Amino acid sequence: RNPAVGPGEPAWLQRNSALWFDGLYPWASRYYAKMHLVPFSEYVPFGQSWPGLHRLLRWFVPGVMQQLDPGRRPTVFELERPRGRWTLAVPICYEGTFGDVCRQLVMEGRAKRADILVNLSNDGWFVWSWGGGPYRGSTEHAQHLAQYCFRAVECRTPVVRAVNTGISASIDSCGRIVALVGGRRQAMIAGTLLLDGAVSQGVRLPGHGPKVLVDRRKSLYSVTGDVFASAVALVGAAMTAGILLGRPKAGRKGRQ
């Protein structure tokens, strides 16, 4: 329910959310609402700033596609057990393609508040069928998985993915894919993956993967964000301007 209902504000907000419910500690139930929505899929831009353009763009989006409200704050879930306490952040679907979004979920100031990134994705968009045949996965599934390898390195945080039609996997904090559903880097595979480290005679049991190892390290990016990238962009812009302004003009005296 909308906590601050004002004139013209909806009483209920429709959001893409992940619900955390812990049966052992029911009072720990919380939810995270996706902050970075997909344009022209989950929302049409300019709804408040430019209503006329918004109505025009909305005409191209089917009416059955509900327009969602973005979440307002990063949320972490607490997994409490007698032997310890861990925190999980849940980037939803394509939020993992944006480094700054995952950094916002993992970091609070210069402190690391999330131990694990848990990605829930609907990759059903990225399937194709030819001539009425069976649906097959496309290259976007592997690309989406690769994006989360980068997020793991940037935040020095392991990633666990649960993805319909796509590639569900476990990624360590160095960006290495350590376990996959079905044991193959292939889409459209159903199954379960228990990250309990179970082995038999030194061999990993089918459907099992190594335990998720929490990494307390912080990367330069997780602490400084896009400062380095912004500085490189400014230096590049300054160098480009210097080259353009310093270029000799046509017809200058003495030019050969």
Side-chain angles (χ1 to χ4, degrees), residues 39-74:
F40 300 102
S41 173
E42 294 176 314
Y43 85 104
V44 174
F46 309 112
Q48 302 295 327
S49 58
W50 202 340
L53 180 58
H54 171 79
R55 287 193 293 271
L56 176 62
L57 296 175
R58 187 71 178 90
W59 187 81
F60 294 96
V61 179
V64 296
M65 297 182 67
Q66 297 180 345
Q67 298 300 284
L68 305 179
D69 295 283
R72 303 300 180 186
R73 63 182 184 275

Side-chain angles (χ1 to χ4, degrees), residues 27-245:
W27 61 85
S29 300
R30 302 181 69 185
Y31 78 95
Y32 163 69
K34 187 178 182 182
M35 298 186 296
H36 197 292
L37 301 177
V38 179
F40 300 102
S41 173
E42 294 176 314
Y43 85 104
V44 174
F46 309 112
Q48 302 295 327
S49 58
W50 202 340
L53 180 58
H54 171 79
R55 287 193 293 271
L56 176 62
L57 296 175
R58 187 71 178 90
W59 187 81
F60 294 96
V61 179
V64 296
M65 297 182 67
Q66 297 180 345
Q67 298 300 284
L68 305 179
D69 295 283
R72 303 300 180 186
R73 63 182 184 275
T75 303
V76 295
F77 302 133
E78 298 178 356
L79 177 61
E80 295 186 40
R81 290 298 181 269
R83 66 175 184 269
R85 173 182 172 274
W86 299 270
T87 54
L88 293 74
V90 187
I92 297 176
C93 206
Y94 246 54
E95 282 189 314
T97 63
F98 300 95
D100 59 326
V101 175
C102 287
R103 175 179 175 269
Q104 187 178 0
L105 289 169
V106 171
M107 301 297 294
E108 186 172 16
R110 290 180 174 268
K112 198 172 184 179
R113 62 178 169 187
D115 297 317
I116 305 171
L117 286 170
V118 179
N119 169 231
L120 308 177
S121 288
N122 174 13
D123 277 1
W125 299 89
F126 310 126
V127 297
W128 60 276
S129 175
W130 184 265
Y135 284 98
R136 303 180 185 276
S138 65
T139 55
E140 284 92 345
H141 290 133
Q143 293 169 0
H144 199 183
L145 172 64
Q147 288 285 343
Y148 276 94
C149 295
F150 284 101
R151 303 296 86 83
V153 174
E154 289 170 350
C155 299
R156 284 299 181 200
T157 305
V159 178
V160 177
R161 304 189 71 220
V163 189
N164 72 329
T165 76
I167 306 173
S168 299
S170 176
I171 306 168
D172 70 11
S173 59
C174 294
R176 296 172 297 200
I177 301 172
V178 295
L180 294 153
V181 166
R184 293 178 293 170
R185 195 177 304 185
Q186 182 178 341
M188 309 291 287
I189 296 178
T192 58
L193 179 61
L194 300 178
L195 302 176
D196 56 3
V199 296
S200 176
Q201 299 180 349
V203 179
R204 186 81 61 193
L205 293 175
H208 295 258
K211 294 181 178 180
V212 178
L213 301 179
V214 173
D215 193 338
R216 300 299 182 186
R217 294 177 296 171
K218 292 181 287 187
S219 67
L220 178 63
Y221 176 77
S222 65
V223 175
T224 63
D226 293 320
V227 172
F228 177 75
S230 300
V232 171
L234 289 174
V235 171
M239 293 176 65
T240 303
I243 292 172
L244 294 176
L245 294 176

Side-chain angles (χ1 to χ4, degrees), residues 1-6 9-13 15 31 72-73:
R1 185 174 178 82
N2 193 343
V5 179
E9 294 290 332
W12 292 91
L13 299 177
R15 289 174 167 171
Y31 78 95
R72 303 300 180 186
R73 63 182 184 275

